[in-house]
């Protein structure tokens, strides 16, 4: 998705529209920027990212708008379900993977973030793996693949994912309402990735 | 993201304004008090955490919890804490405690007169103040993570520091490096992040 920075006037209007009366201090128009993107999987929804640069660390909130209402993407399934209900979700062979990426990026999972591995070289720790781990991963890696199932009316997606510190090969169902269900998972690497150990910060006794 | 100036369809924006309705409060976490209570309880069990919770109580620092996917904090007016917590927070309570500690430290900076730089400041002063304030917060983060790890055996706080790109600073903190070495590492990390962002 391409994100476009809005001009000052539109930035002001968006911030006025989304800030809650009780929490009006969260975004100040003079120190915030608003970016906007048109996702390929919605027919009539724009995404907005509002970033406040006046605080350390900088702080962002993401919204979706159908032109009538603004929906705050708060990490819950319900927030996305609201948008999918209000909008015409356009899932096709071309848009289902971008949608799945969007879903994982915006929905919080108890055991940690889930990332689709669209390219092996995009794995942040690929060069930190032991040579045998790296070559095993390269041997088994297949890019994400989506198939539409006419009879059941959903997409079957097979994709490598990074979930809870583990590289998995996952079979995922995405139905036409945008619900996502992880059906099966198998480990691609027989070890858990712990960023602090990879960086040699400390060894756990 | 791109730097393109091409705009998305305007009609969606134009249609939005003038609706005139007040949006509901979509931000407040429905378990806000519970999260703050659990995070403070955890901090009270460690030395630096206990000190910071004491600061929060002594100065009656207001704190709110809002829902969001990424755990972080924001102190928009330097005096009020907004902690951002995921809908299901239980497995991440140590990370939330660490974020709360950083937020309190941020307010403590304000209390002792260490204010945020103004965009009108001389650029060199602005950069120096930003570096000092950020490094102070990151050092607090390292201290809290270390104490939480020692006390509770949690490792997700250490993973978070590594994922934020502060692993080198944590290592230097653990080896009792001085301010100069820590600030060199911080500047180096910021420059690397900038270069990565450009590619």
């Amino acid at each position: 998705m391409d994100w476009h920075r809005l001009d000052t006037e539109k930035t002001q209007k968006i911030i006025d529209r989304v800030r809650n009366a009780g929490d009006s201090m969260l975004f100040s128009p003079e120190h915030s920027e608003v970016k906007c993107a048109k996702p390929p999987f919605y027919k009539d929804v724009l995404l907005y990212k509002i970033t406040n640069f006046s605080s350390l660390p900088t702080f962002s909130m993401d919204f979706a708008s159908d032109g009538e209402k603004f929906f705050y993407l708060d990490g819950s399934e319900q927030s996305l379900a609201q948008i999918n209900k209000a909008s015409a979700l356009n899932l096709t062979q071309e848009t289902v993977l971008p949608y799945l990426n969007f879903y994982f990026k915006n929905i919080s999972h108890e055991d940690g973030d889930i990332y689709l591995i669209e390219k092996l070289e995009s794995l942040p720790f690929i060069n930190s793996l032991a040579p045998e781990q790296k070559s095993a991963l390269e041997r088994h890696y297949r890019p994400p693949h989506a198939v539409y199932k006419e009879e059941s009316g959903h997409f079957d997606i097979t994709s490598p994912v990074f979930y809870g510190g583990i590289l998995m090969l996952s079979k995922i169902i995405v139905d036409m309402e945008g619900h996502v269900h992880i059906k099966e998972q198998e480990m691609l690497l027989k070890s858990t990735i712990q960023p602090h150990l990879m960086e040699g910060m400390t060894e756990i006794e | 993201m791109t730097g393109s100036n091409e705009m998305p369809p305007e009609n969606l924006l134009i249609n939005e304004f003038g609706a005139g309705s007040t949006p509901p409060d979509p931000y407040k976490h429905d378990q806000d008090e519970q999260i703050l209570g659990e995070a403070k309880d955890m901090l009270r069990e460690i030395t630096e955490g206990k000190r910071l919770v004491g600061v929060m109580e002594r100065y009656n620092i207001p704190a709110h919890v809002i829902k969001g996917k990424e755990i972080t904090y924001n102190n928009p007016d330097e005096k009020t804490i907004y902690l951002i917590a995921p809908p299901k927070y239980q497995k991440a309570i140590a990370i939330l405690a660490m974020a709360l500690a950083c937020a309190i430290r941020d307010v403590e900076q304000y209390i002792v007169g260490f204010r945020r730089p103004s965009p009108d400041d001389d650029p060199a002063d602005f950069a120096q103040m930003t570096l000092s304030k950020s490094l102070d917060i990151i050092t607090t983060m390292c201290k809290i993570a270390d104490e939480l790890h020692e006390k509770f055996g949690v490792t997700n706080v250490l993973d978070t520091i590594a994922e934020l790109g502060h692993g080198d600073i944590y290592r230097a903190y653990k080896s009792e490096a001085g301010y100069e070495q820590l600030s060199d590492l911080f500047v180096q990390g910021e420059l690397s992040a900038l270069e990565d962002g450009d590619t």
Side-chain angles (χ1 to χ4, degrees), chain A residues 4 17-18 48 72 196 199, chain B residues 6 13 16 27 159 171:
Chain A
H4 309 275
R17 184 67 179 82
V18 302
Y48 296 92
Y72 172 46
H196 76 277
E199 290 205 353
Chain B
E6 187 191 336
L13 294 176
E16 160 55 17
Y27 308 129
D159 286 340
R171 270 195 296 279

Side-chain angles (χ1 to χ4, degrees), chain A residues 84-154:
Chain A
N84 291 346
K85 198 174 169 188
S87 161
L89 187 60
N90 176 34
L91 290 182
T92 66
Q93 193 73 31
E94 287 72 39
T95 64
V96 70
L97 285 175
Y99 173 77
L100 193 56
N101 251 326
F102 171 77
Y103 177 92
F104 285 145
K105 196 173 172 196
N106 286 286
I107 301 299
S108 168
H109 296 271
E110 268 188 297
D111 292 318
D113 288 340
I114 303 180
Y115 304 97
L116 282 190
I117 312 297
E118 293 192 272
K119 290 177 185 169
L120 199 53
E121 57 270 26
S122 68
L123 267 180
F125 48 79
I126 185 75
N127 292 321
S128 310
L129 293 173
E132 62 275 18
Q133 285 182 312
K134 194 176 173 186
S135 70
L137 198 56
E138 284 166 348
R139 249 192 340 272
H140 293 108
Y141 177 80
R142 300 286 181 276
H145 178 62
V147 176
Y148 181 67
K149 296 287 183 185
E150 288 267 1
E151 62 279 16
S152 45
H154 68 246

Side-chain angles (χ1 to χ4, degrees), chain B residues 62-122:
Chain B
H64 309 275
V65 184
I66 60 179
K67 275 185 289 184
K69 183 170 181 284
E70 308 295 339
I71 296 174
T72 183
Y73 72 90
N74 185 30
N75 299 347
D77 63 350
E78 300 187 69
K79 296 175 281 190
T80 310
I81 292 172
Y82 286 83
L83 189 65
I84 292 85
K88 291 177 185 169
Y89 70 92
Q90 286 81 359
K91 290 185 180 175
I93 192 65
I95 304 172
L96 284 161
M98 183 168 73
L100 177 62
C102 292
I104 301 170
R105 179 61 185 165
D106 196 355
V107 177
E108 190 181 31
Q109 289 182 351
Y110 171 82
I111 292 167
V112 300
F114 188 11
R115 302 293 308 272
R116 284 183 190 149
S118 157
D120 300 328
D121 287 342
D122 174 78

Side-chain angles (χ1 to χ4, degrees), chain B:
Chain B
M1 293 190 191
T2 72
S4 163
N5 289 323
E6 187 191 336
M7 288 293 299
E10 291 279 325
N11 60 322
L12 292 176
L13 294 176
I14 293 164
N15 288 343
E16 160 55 17
F17 301 111
S21 60
T22 304
D25 182 353
Y27 308 129
K28 184 175 169 292
H29 201 295
D30 45 18
Q31 290 167 290
D32 55 348
E33 286 181 19
Q34 203 171 336
I35 291 169
L36 282 173
E38 287 180 36
K40 282 195 276 190
D41 284 348
M42 204 165 193
L43 290 175
R44 283 192 190 97
E45 296 291 319
I46 57 175
T47 309
E48 180 65 2
K50 189 176 177 183
R51 188 191 73 76
L52 287 167
V53 172
V55 169
M56 187 178 188
E57 289 170 347
R58 182 175 171 197
Y59 292 96
N60 204 18
I61 298 169
H64 309 275
V65 184
I66 60 179
K67 275 185 289 184
K69 183 170 181 284
E70 308 295 339
I71 296 174
T72 183
Y73 72 90
N74 185 30
N75 299 347
D77 63 350
E78 300 187 69
K79 296 175 281 190
T80 310
I81 292 172
Y82 286 83
L83 189 65
I84 292 85
K88 291 177 185 169
Y89 70 92
Q90 286 81 359
K91 290 185 180 175
I93 192 65
I95 304 172
L96 284 161
M98 183 168 73
L100 177 62
C102 292
I104 301 170
R105 179 61 185 165
D106 196 355
V107 177
E108 190 181 31
Q109 289 182 351
Y110 171 82
I111 292 167
V112 300
F114 188 11
R115 302 293 308 272
R116 284 183 190 149
S118 157
D120 300 328
D121 287 342
D122 174 78
D125 291 344
F126 185 94
Q128 182 59 49
M129 287 169 76
T130 303
L131 181 148
S132 301
K133 288 179 76 70
S134 301
L135 187 56
D136 180 70
I137 298 290
I138 293 166
T139 309
T140 298
M141 194 194 312
C142 293
K143 195 181 291 183
I144 293 290
D146 194 37
E147 291 182 5
L148 287 173
H149 173 55
E150 289 291 321
K151 176 75 183 177
F152 299 103
V154 288
T155 56
N156 56 1
V157 287
L158 303 178
D159 286 340
T160 298
I161 290 180
E163 285 161 4
L164 289 170
H166 304 315
D168 287 342
I169 296 178
Y170 178 82
R171 270 195 296 279
Y173 163 79
K174 285 291 282 179
S175 59
E176 300 180 355
Y179 178 82
E180 203 166 315
Q181 192 185 345
L182 292 174
S183 62
D184 284 349
L185 286 169
F186 178 70
V187 171
Q188 191 57 50
E190 292 295 294
L191 289 174
S192 300
L194 204 60
E195 283 166 12
D196 290 346
D198 286 342
T199 55

Side-chain angles (χ1 to χ4, degrees), chain A residues 4-197:
Chain A
H4 309 275
R5 187 175 171 176
L6 300 188
D7 65 25
T8 309
E9 190 184 342
K10 289 195 180 80
T11 295
Q12 174 78 54
K13 284 180 176 175
I14 297 285
I15 289 175
D16 285 348
R17 184 67 179 82
V18 302
R19 71 177 162 186
N20 179 279
D23 289 339
S24 59
M25 67 171 79
L26 275 175
F27 293 105
S28 64
E30 50 291 2
H31 299 303
S32 299
E33 114 180 342
V34 179
K35 284 186 171 177
C36 181
K38 175 83 178 78
F41 40 83
Y42 287 128
K43 286 182 179 155
D44 52 4
V45 163
L46 293 178
L47 303 178
Y48 296 92
K49 181 180 283 297
I50 307 180
T51 303
N52 182 348
F53 289 103
S54 68
S55 61
L56 296 171
T58 57
F59 171 68
S60 292
M61 290 171 88
D62 292 311
F63 296 85
S65 177
D66 62 354
E68 288 292 323
K69 296 175 183 169
F70 274 80
F71 300 94
Y72 172 46
L73 289 159
D74 65 8
S76 68
E77 292 263 6
Q78 296 92 313
S79 66
L80 203 53
Q82 273 187 311
I83 299 164
N84 291 346
K85 198 174 169 188
S87 161
L89 187 60
N90 176 34
L91 290 182
T92 66
Q93 193 73 31
E94 287 72 39
T95 64
V96 70
L97 285 175
Y99 173 77
L100 193 56
N101 251 326
F102 171 77
Y103 177 92
F104 285 145
K105 196 173 172 196
N106 286 286
I107 301 299
S108 168
H109 296 271
E110 268 188 297
D111 292 318
D113 288 340
I114 303 180
Y115 304 97
L116 282 190
I117 312 297
E118 293 192 272
K119 290 177 185 169
L120 199 53
E121 57 270 26
S122 68
L123 267 180
F125 48 79
I126 185 75
N127 292 321
S128 310
L129 293 173
E132 62 275 18
Q133 285 182 312
K134 194 176 173 186
S135 70
L137 198 56
E138 284 166 348
R139 249 192 340 272
H140 293 108
Y141 177 80
R142 300 286 181 276
H145 178 62
V147 176
Y148 181 67
K149 296 287 183 185
E150 288 267 1
E151 62 279 16
S152 45
H154 68 246
F155 285 93
D156 269 357
I157 294 162
T158 306
S159 175
V161 301
F162 184 57
Y163 180 28
I166 303 172
L167 277 168
M168 317 277 269
L169 184 65
S170 293
K171 293 194 174 173
I172 302 163
I173 290 174
V174 180
D175 70 23
M176 300 311 278
E177 278 87 48
H179 299 117
V180 172
H181 173 62
I182 299 178
K183 202 166 64 170
E184 289 174 39
Q185 304 210 85
E186 65 179 83
M187 288 172 80
L188 277 176
L189 275 184
K190 288 179 183 165
S191 56
T192 302
I193 308 296
Q194 293 181 285
H196 76 277
L197 290 181

